[in-house]
Coordinates of all heavy atoms in Angstrom, one line a residue:
M2 N -10.2 20.9 9.5 CA -10.9 21.1 10.7 C -11.7 22.3 10.6 O -11.3 23.3 10.1 CB -9.8 21.2 11.9 CG -10.5 21.4 13.2 SD -9.4 21.5 14.6 CE -8.8 19.8 14.6
K3 N -12.9 22.4 11.2 CA -13.8 23.5 11.2 C -13.8 24.1 12.7 O -13.6 23.3 13.6 CB -15.2 23.1 10.8 CG -15.3 22.7 9.4 CD -16.7 22.4 8.9 CE -16.7 22.0 7.5 NZ -18.0 21.8 7.0
Y4 N -14.0 25.4 12.7 CA -14.1 26.1 14.0 C -15.4 26.8 14.2 O -16.0 27.2 13.3 CB -13.0 27.1 14.2 CG -11.6 26.5 14.0 CD1 -10.9 26.4 12.8 CD2 -10.9 26.0 15.2 CE1 -9.7 25.8 12.8 CE2 -9.7 25.4 15.0 CZ -9.0 25.4 13.9 OH -7.8 24.8 13.8
L5 N -15.8 26.9 15.4 CA -17.0 27.6 15.8 C -16.6 28.8 16.8 O -16.1 28.4 17.8 CB -18.0 26.8 16.5 CG -19.3 27.4 17.0 CD1 -20.2 27.9 15.9 CD2 -20.1 26.3 17.8
K6 N -16.9 29.9 16.5 CA -16.6 31.1 17.3 C -17.8 31.6 18.0 O -18.8 31.8 17.3 CB -15.9 32.2 16.5 CG -15.6 33.4 17.4 CD -14.9 34.5 16.6 CE -14.6 35.6 17.5 NZ -13.8 36.7 16.8
I7 N -17.8 31.6 19.3 CA -18.9 32.0 20.1 C -18.5 33.2 21.0 O -17.5 33.1 21.7 CB -19.5 30.9 21.0 CG1 -19.9 29.7 20.2 CG2 -20.6 31.5 21.9 CD1 -20.3 28.5 21.0
N8 N -19.2 34.3 20.9 CA -18.9 35.5 21.7 C -19.9 35.5 22.9 O -21.0 35.3 22.7 CB -19.0 36.8 21.0 CG -18.0 36.9 19.9 OD1 -16.8 36.6 20.1 ND2 -18.4 37.3 18.7
I9 N -19.3 35.6 24.1 CA -20.2 35.6 25.3 C -20.0 36.8 26.1 O -19.0 37.6 25.9 CB -19.8 34.3 26.2 CG1 -18.4 34.4 26.7 CG2 -20.0 33.0 25.5 CD1 -18.0 33.3 27.7
E10 N -21.1 37.1 26.8 CA -21.1 38.3 27.7 C -20.0 38.2 28.8 O -19.6 37.1 29.2 CB -22.4 38.5 28.4 CG -23.5 38.8 27.4 CD -24.9 38.9 28.1 OE1 -24.9 38.6 29.3 OE2 -25.8 39.3 27.4
E11 N -19.5 39.3 29.3 CA -18.4 39.3 30.2 C -18.8 38.5 31.5 O -18.0 37.9 32.2 CB -18.1 40.8 30.6 CG -16.7 40.9 31.2 CD -16.3 42.3 31.2 OE1 -16.4 43.1 30.2 OE2 -15.8 42.7 32.3
N12 N -20.1 38.5 32.0 CA -20.4 37.9 33.2 C -20.9 36.4 32.9 O -21.4 35.8 33.9 CB -21.5 38.8 33.9 CG -22.8 38.9 33.0 OD1 -22.8 38.5 31.8 ND2 -23.9 39.4 33.6
A13 N -20.9 35.9 31.7 CA -21.3 34.6 31.4 C -20.3 33.6 32.1 O -19.1 33.9 32.2 CB -21.4 34.4 30.0
D14 N -20.8 32.5 32.4 CA -20.1 31.3 33.1 C -19.4 30.5 32.0 O -20.0 29.5 31.5 CB -20.9 30.5 34.0 CG -20.1 29.6 34.8 OD1 -18.9 29.4 34.5 OD2 -20.6 29.0 35.8
A15 N -18.2 30.9 31.5 CA -17.6 30.2 30.4 C -17.3 28.8 30.7 O -17.4 27.9 29.8 CB -16.3 31.0 30.1
E16 N -17.0 28.4 31.9 CA -16.7 27.0 32.2 C -18.0 26.2 32.1 O -17.9 25.0 31.6 CB -16.1 26.9 33.6 CG -14.6 27.4 33.7 CD -13.7 26.7 32.8 OE1 -13.7 25.4 32.6 OE2 -12.8 27.4 32.2
K17 N -19.1 26.7 32.5 CA -20.3 25.9 32.4 C -20.7 25.7 30.9 O -21.1 24.6 30.5 CB -21.5 26.6 33.1 CG -21.4 26.5 34.6 CD -21.8 25.1 35.1 CE -21.7 25.0 36.6 NZ -21.8 23.7 37.1
L18 N -20.5 26.8 30.1 CA -20.8 26.7 28.7 C -19.8 25.6 28.0 O -20.2 24.8 27.2 CB -20.5 28.0 28.1 CG -20.8 28.2 26.6 CD1 -22.3 27.7 26.3 CD2 -20.6 29.6 26.1
K19 N -18.6 25.6 28.5 CA -17.6 24.7 28.0 C -18.0 23.3 28.3 O -18.0 22.4 27.5 CB -16.3 25.0 28.7 CG -15.1 24.2 28.1 CD -13.8 24.7 28.8 CE -12.6 24.0 28.3 NZ -11.4 24.5 29.0
E20 N -18.5 23.0 29.5 CA -19.0 21.6 29.9 C -20.2 21.2 29.1 O -20.2 20.1 28.6 CB -19.4 21.7 31.4 CG -18.3 21.8 32.4 CD -18.8 21.9 33.8 OE1 -20.0 21.6 34.1 OE2 -18.1 22.4 34.7
L21 N -21.0 22.2 28.8 CA -22.2 21.9 28.0 C -21.8 21.5 26.5 O -22.3 20.5 26.0 CB -23.2 23.1 28.0 CG -24.4 23.0 27.1 CD1 -25.4 22.0 27.7 CD2 -25.1 24.4 27.0
L22 N -20.9 22.3 25.9 CA -20.5 22.1 24.6 C -19.7 20.7 24.5 O -19.8 20.1 23.4 CB -19.6 23.2 24.1 CG -20.4 24.6 23.9 CD1 -19.4 25.6 23.6 CD2 -21.4 24.3 22.8
F23 N -19.0 20.3 25.5 CA -18.3 19.0 25.4 C -19.3 17.8 25.3 O -18.9 16.7 24.9 CB -17.3 18.8 26.5 CG -15.9 19.3 26.3 CD1 -15.3 20.2 27.1 CD2 -15.3 18.8 25.2 CE1 -14.1 20.6 26.9 CE2 -14.0 19.3 24.9 CZ -13.4 20.1 25.7
Q24 N -20.6 18.0 25.7 CA -21.5 17.0 25.7 C -22.1 16.8 24.2 O -22.7 15.8 23.9 CB -22.7 17.2 26.6 CG -22.2 17.2 28.0 CD -23.3 17.5 29.0 OE1 -24.5 17.4 28.7 NE2 -23.0 18.0 30.2
V25 N -21.8 17.8 23.4 CA -22.3 17.7 22.0 C -21.4 16.7 21.2 O -20.1 16.9 21.2 CB -22.3 19.1 21.3 CG1 -22.7 19.0 19.9 CG2 -23.3 20.0 22.1
K26 N -21.9 15.8 20.5 CA -21.2 14.9 19.7 C -20.5 15.6 18.5 O -21.0 16.5 17.9 CB -22.1 13.9 19.0 CG -21.4 12.8 18.2 CD -22.4 11.8 17.6 CE -21.6 10.8 16.8 NZ -22.5 9.8 16.2
G27 N -19.2 15.3 18.4 CA -18.4 15.9 17.4 C -17.4 17.1 17.9 O -16.6 17.5 17.2
V28 N -17.7 17.5 19.1 CA -16.9 18.6 19.7 C -15.5 18.0 20.1 O -15.5 17.1 21.0 CB -17.6 19.3 20.9 CG1 -16.6 20.2 21.5 CG2 -18.8 20.0 20.4
D29 N -14.4 18.4 19.6 CA -13.1 17.9 19.8 C -12.4 18.6 20.9 O -11.8 18.0 21.7 CB -12.3 17.8 18.5 CG -10.9 17.2 18.6 OD1 -10.9 16.2 19.3 OD2 -10.0 17.7 18.1
S30 N -12.4 19.9 20.8 CA -11.7 20.7 21.9 C -12.4 22.1 22.0 O -13.0 22.5 21.1 CB -10.3 20.9 21.4 OG -10.1 21.7 20.3
I31 N -12.2 22.7 23.1 CA -12.7 24.0 23.4 C -11.7 24.9 24.0 O -11.0 24.4 24.9 CB -13.9 23.9 24.3 CG1 -15.1 23.1 23.6 CG2 -14.4 25.3 24.7 CD1 -16.2 22.8 24.6
E32 N -11.5 26.0 23.5 CA -10.5 27.0 24.1 C -11.2 28.3 24.4 O -11.9 28.8 23.6 CB -9.4 27.2 23.1 CG -8.3 28.2 23.7 CD -7.2 28.4 22.7 OE1 -7.2 27.8 21.6 OE2 -6.3 29.2 23.0
I33 N -11.0 28.8 25.6 CA -11.6 30.1 26.0 C -10.5 31.1 25.8 O -9.4 31.1 26.3 CB -12.1 30.0 27.5 CG1 -13.1 29.0 27.7 CG2 -12.5 31.5 27.9 CD1 -13.5 28.7 29.1
I34 N -10.9 32.1 24.9 CA -9.9 33.1 24.6 C -10.4 34.5 25.0 O -11.5 34.8 24.8 CB -9.7 33.2 23.0 CG1 -9.1 31.9 22.5 CG2 -8.8 34.4 22.7 CD1 -9.1 31.7 21.0
D35 N -9.6 35.2 25.8 CA -9.9 36.5 26.4 C -9.3 37.5 25.6 O -8.0 37.6 25.6 CB -9.5 36.5 27.9 CG -9.9 37.8 28.6 OD1 -10.5 38.7 27.9 OD2 -9.7 37.9 29.8
D36 N -10.0 38.4 24.9 CA -9.3 39.4 24.0 C -8.5 40.4 24.8 O -7.6 41.0 24.3 CB -10.4 40.2 23.3 CG -11.0 39.4 22.1 OD1 -10.3 38.4 21.7 OD2 -12.2 39.7 21.7
E37 N -8.8 40.5 26.1 CA -8.0 41.4 26.9 C -6.8 40.8 27.5 O -5.9 41.5 28.0 CB -8.9 41.8 28.2 CG -10.2 42.6 27.8 CD -9.9 43.8 27.1 OE1 -9.0 44.6 27.5 OE2 -10.6 44.1 26.0
N38 N -6.6 39.5 27.2 CA -5.5 38.7 27.7 C -4.6 38.4 26.5 O -4.9 37.4 25.8 CB -5.9 37.5 28.5 CG -4.8 36.7 29.0 OD1 -3.5 37.1 28.8 ND2 -5.0 35.7 29.8
P39 N -3.5 39.1 26.2 CA -2.6 38.7 25.1 C -2.0 37.4 25.1 O -1.8 36.8 24.1 CB -1.6 39.9 25.1 CG -1.5 40.4 26.5 CD -2.9 40.2 27.0
E40 N -1.9 36.7 26.3 CA -1.3 35.4 26.4 C -2.2 34.4 25.7 O -1.7 33.5 25.1 CB -1.1 35.1 27.8 CG 0.1 35.8 28.5 CD 0.2 35.5 29.9 OE1 -0.2 34.4 30.4 OE2 0.9 36.2 30.7
S41 N -3.5 34.6 25.7 CA -4.4 33.7 25.1 C -4.2 33.8 23.6 O -4.1 32.7 22.9 CB -5.9 34.0 25.3 OG -6.2 33.9 26.7
E42 N -4.0 34.9 23.0 CA -3.8 35.0 21.6 C -2.3 34.5 21.2 O -2.2 33.8 20.2 CB -3.8 36.5 21.1 CG -5.2 37.1 21.1 CD -6.0 36.4 20.0 OE1 -5.6 36.2 18.9 OE2 -7.2 36.1 20.3
L43 N -1.4 34.6 22.1 CA -0.1 34.0 21.7 C -0.1 32.5 21.9 O 0.5 31.9 21.0 CB 1.0 34.6 22.7 CG 1.5 36.0 22.4 CD1 2.3 36.5 23.5 CD2 2.2 36.0 21.1
K44 N -0.8 32.0 22.7 CA -1.0 30.6 22.9 C -1.6 30.0 21.6 O -1.2 29.0 21.1 CB -1.8 30.2 24.1 CG -2.0 28.8 24.3 CD -2.9 28.4 25.5 CE -3.2 26.9 25.7 NZ -4.1 26.7 26.7
K45 N -2.7 30.7 21.2 CA -3.4 30.3 19.9 C -2.4 30.3 18.7 O -2.4 29.3 17.9 CB -4.5 31.1 19.7 CG -5.4 30.8 18.6 CD -6.6 31.7 18.5 CE -7.4 31.4 17.2 NZ -8.6 32.4 17.1
A46 N -1.6 31.3 18.7 CA -0.7 31.5 17.5 C 0.4 30.3 17.6 O 0.8 29.8 16.5 CB 0.0 32.8 17.6
F47 N 0.9 30.0 18.8 CA 1.9 29.0 18.9 C 1.4 27.6 18.6 O 2.1 26.8 18.0 CB 2.6 29.1 20.3 CG 3.6 30.2 20.4 CD1 3.4 31.1 21.4 CD2 4.7 30.3 19.5 CE1 4.3 32.2 21.5 CE2 5.6 31.3 19.7 CZ 5.3 32.3 20.6
N48 N 0.1 27.4 18.9 CA -0.5 26.1 18.6 C -0.6 26.0 17.0 O -0.4 25.0 16.5 CB -1.8 25.9 19.3 CG -1.7 25.6 20.7 OD1 -0.7 25.1 21.2 ND2 -2.7 26.0 21.5
K49 N -1.0 27.1 16.4 CA -1.2 27.1 15.0 C 0.2 27.0 14.3 O 0.4 26.3 13.3 CB -1.8 28.5 14.6 CG -2.0 28.6 13.1 CD -2.7 29.9 12.8 CE -2.8 30.2 11.3 NZ -3.3 31.5 11.0
T50 N 1.3 27.5 15.0 CA 2.6 27.5 14.5 C 3.1 26.0 14.4 O 3.8 25.7 13.4 CB 3.5 28.2 15.5 OG1 3.1 29.6 15.5 CG2 5.0 28.2 15.0
K51 N 2.8 25.1 15.2 CA 3.2 23.7 15.1 C 2.8 23.2 13.8 O 3.6 22.5 13.2 CB 2.6 23.0 16.3 CG 3.2 23.3 17.7 CD 2.5 22.5 18.8 CE 2.8 22.9 20.1 NZ 2.0 22.2 21.2
E52 N 1.5 23.4 13.4 CA 1.0 22.8 12.2 C 1.7 23.5 11.0 O 2.0 22.8 10.0 CB -0.5 23.0 12.1 CG -1.3 22.2 13.1 CD -1.0 20.7 12.9 OE1 -1.0 20.2 11.8 OE2 -0.8 20.0 13.9
Q53 N 1.9 24.8 11.1 CA 2.6 25.5 10.0 C 4.1 25.0 9.8 O 4.5 24.9 8.7 CB 2.6 27.0 10.2 CG 1.1 27.6 10.1 CD 1.1 29.0 10.6 OE1 1.7 29.4 11.5 NE2 0.2 29.8 10.0
F54 N 4.7 24.7 10.9 CA 6.1 24.2 10.7 C 6.1 22.9 10.1 O 7.0 22.6 9.3 CB 6.8 24.2 12.1 CG 7.4 25.4 12.6 CD1 7.3 25.8 13.9 CD2 8.1 26.2 11.8 CE1 7.9 27.0 14.4 CE2 8.7 27.5 12.2 CZ 8.5 27.8 13.5
K55 N 5.1 22.0 10.5 CA 5.0 20.7 9.9 C 4.9 20.8 8.3 O 5.4 20.0 7.6 CB 3.9 19.9 10.4 CG 4.1 19.5 11.8 CD 2.9 18.7 12.4 CE 3.1 18.4 13.9 NZ 1.8 17.8 14.4
K56 N 4.2 21.9 7.9 CA 3.9 22.1 6.4 C 5.1 22.9 5.8 O 5.0 23.1 4.6 CB 2.6 22.7 6.2 CG 1.4 22.0 6.7 CD 0.1 22.8 6.6 CE -1.1 22.1 7.1 NZ -2.2 22.9 7.1
G57 N 6.0 23.4 6.6 CA 7.1 24.2 6.0 C 6.7 25.6 5.7 O 7.3 26.3 4.9
D58 N 5.6 26.1 6.3 CA 5.1 27.4 6.1 C 5.6 28.5 7.1 O 5.0 29.0 7.9 CB 3.5 27.4 6.1 CG 2.9 28.6 5.6 OD1 3.6 29.5 5.1 OD2 1.7 28.8 5.8
Y59 N 7.0 28.7 6.9 CA 7.7 29.6 7.9 C 7.3 31.1 7.8 O 7.2 31.8 8.8 CB 9.2 29.4 7.7 CG 9.6 28.0 7.8 CD1 10.0 27.2 6.7 CD2 9.6 27.3 9.0 CE1 10.4 25.9 6.8 CE2 10.0 26.0 9.1 CZ 10.4 25.3 8.0 OH 10.8 24.0 8.1
E60 N 7.1 31.5 6.5 CA 6.7 33.0 6.4 C 5.4 33.3 7.1 O 5.4 34.4 7.7 CB 6.6 33.3 4.9 CG 6.4 34.7 4.7 CD 6.4 35.1 3.1 OE1 6.8 34.3 2.3 OE2 5.8 36.2 2.9
T61 N 4.4 32.5 7.0 CA 3.2 32.7 7.6 C 3.3 32.8 9.2 O 2.7 33.5 9.9 CB 2.1 31.7 7.2 OG1 2.0 31.7 5.8 CG2 0.7 32.1 7.8
V62 N 4.2 31.9 9.7 CA 4.4 31.8 11.1 C 4.9 33.2 11.6 O 4.4 33.7 12.6 CB 5.5 30.7 11.5 CG1 5.8 30.8 13.0 CG2 4.8 29.3 11.2
V63 N 5.9 33.7 11.0 CA 6.5 34.9 11.4 C 5.5 36.1 11.3 O 5.4 36.9 12.2 CB 7.7 35.3 10.5 CG1 8.3 36.6 10.8 CG2 8.8 34.2 10.8
N64 N 4.7 36.1 10.2 CA 3.8 37.1 10.0 C 2.7 37.1 11.1 O 2.2 38.1 11.6 CB 3.1 37.0 8.7 CG 4.1 37.5 7.6 OD1 5.0 38.1 7.7 ND2 3.8 37.0 6.3
D65 N 2.2 35.9 11.4 CA 1.1 35.8 12.5 C 1.6 36.3 13.8 O 0.8 37.0 14.5 CB 0.6 34.3 12.6 CG -0.2 33.8 11.4 OD1 -0.6 34.6 10.6 OD2 -0.4 32.5 11.3
I66 N 2.8 35.9 14.2 CA 3.3 36.3 15.5 C 3.5 37.8 15.5 O 3.2 38.5 16.5 CB 4.5 35.5 15.9 CG1 4.2 34.0 16.1 CG2 5.2 36.0 17.1 CD1 5.3 33.0 16.2
F67 N 4.1 38.3 14.4 CA 4.4 39.8 14.3 C 3.0 40.6 14.5 O 2.9 41.6 15.2 CB 5.0 40.1 13.0 CG 5.3 41.5 12.9 CD1 6.4 42.1 13.6 CD2 4.6 42.3 12.0 CE1 6.6 43.5 13.5 CE2 4.9 43.7 11.9 CZ 5.9 44.3 12.6
D68 N 2.0 40.0 13.7 CA 0.7 40.7 13.8 C 0.1 40.7 15.2 O -0.5 41.8 15.7 CB -0.3 40.0 12.9 CG -0.1 40.3 11.4 OD1 0.7 41.3 11.1 OD2 -0.6 39.5 10.6
I69 N 0.2 39.6 16.0 CA -0.3 39.5 17.3 C 0.4 40.5 18.2 O -0.1 41.2 19.0 CB -0.2 38.1 17.9 CG1 -1.3 37.2 17.1 CG2 -0.5 38.1 19.4 CD1 -1.1 35.8 17.4
L70 N 1.8 40.5 18.1 CA 2.5 41.4 18.9 C 2.3 42.9 18.7 O 2.2 43.6 19.7 CB 4.0 41.1 18.8 CG 4.5 39.7 19.3 CD1 6.0 39.4 18.9 CD2 4.3 39.6 20.8
T71 N 2.2 43.3 17.5 CA 1.9 44.7 17.2 C 0.4 45.0 17.4 O 0.2 46.1 17.9 CB 2.2 45.0 15.6 OG1 1.5 44.1 14.8 CG2 3.7 44.8 15.4
K72 N -0.5 44.1 17.3 CA -1.9 44.4 17.7 C -2.0 44.6 19.2 O -2.7 45.6 19.6 CB -2.8 43.3 17.3 CG -4.3 43.5 17.6 CD -5.1 42.4 17.1 CE -5.2 41.3 18.2 NZ -6.1 40.3 17.9
N73 N -1.3 43.8 20.0 CA -1.4 44.0 21.5 C -0.7 45.3 21.9 O -1.1 45.9 22.9 CB -0.8 42.8 22.1 CG -1.7 41.6 22.0 OD1 -2.9 41.7 21.9 ND2 -1.2 40.4 22.0
N74 N 0.3 45.7 21.2 CA 1.1 46.9 21.6 C 0.3 48.1 21.3 O 0.3 49.2 22.0 CB 2.4 47.0 20.9 CG 3.5 46.0 21.6 OD1 3.3 45.6 22.7 ND2 4.4 45.6 20.8
S75 N -0.6 48.0 20.3 CA -1.4 49.2 19.9 C -2.5 49.4 20.8 O -3.2 50.5 20.9 CB -1.9 49.0 18.5 OG -2.8 48.0 18.4
K76 N -3.0 48.4 21.7 CA -4.1 48.6 22.6 C -3.5 49.4 23.9 O -4.4 50.0 24.6 CB -4.5 47.3 23.1 CG -5.3 46.5 22.1 CD -5.8 45.2 22.7 CE -6.6 44.4 21.7 NZ -7.0 43.1 22.3
K77 N -2.3 49.5 24.1 CA -1.8 50.2 25.3 C -1.8 51.7 25.2 O -1.8 52.3 24.2 CB -0.4 49.7 25.6 CG -0.3 48.2 26.0 CD 1.0 47.8 26.4 CE 1.0 46.3 26.6 NZ 2.3 45.8 26.9

């Protein structure tokens, strides 16, 4: 799977942009991630974790979650 990362301005209408992108052929899913919201990062990590567990990649799962938790604590 390939991903496209788009950075938007704080005042941009993310939902309208999401609606527009869903009209493009080949767009499978869209997730709005707020860097100021650690729950978004954790949600992303847990979704990735499902795939890693299926592959038996347990070490990477632990490292990814640990990185997110320590990164968010350093912002405070």
Side-chain angles (χ1 to χ4, degrees):
M2 180 178 291
K3 294 184 180 182
Y4 298 93
L5 173 66
K6 181 177 179 179
I7 299 173
N8 294 315
I9 58 174
E10 295 177 352
E11 200 167 311
N12 61 349
D14 189 345
E16 288 300 319
K17 287 287 183 188
L18 183 58
K19 189 174 175 179
E20 289 174 21
L21 177 68
L22 291 172
F23 267 126
Q24 294 179 21
V25 176
K26 184 178 179 180
V28 174
D29 183 41
S30 66
I31 299 170
E32 180 181 359
I33 298 171
I34 299 172
D35 184 356
D36 286 338
E37 298 299 317
N38 184 356
E40 290 180 17
S41 293
E42 286 295 317
L43 283 173
K44 180 181 176 186
K45 184 178 175 182
F47 284 119
N48 287 336
K49 182 179 174 186
T50 299
K51 291 178 191 176
E52 292 302 315
Q53 290 169 324
F54 277 140
K55 288 178 186 176
K56 296 176 185 175
D58 190 6
Y59 304 108
E60 184 177 341
T61 305
V62 171
V63 173
N64 289 340
D65 287 349
I66 294 172
F67 181 76
D68 288 344
I69 290 168
L70 293 174
T71 56
K72 179 177 88 173
N73 289 330
N74 286 336
S75 67
K76 287 183 180 179
K77 294 179 182 178

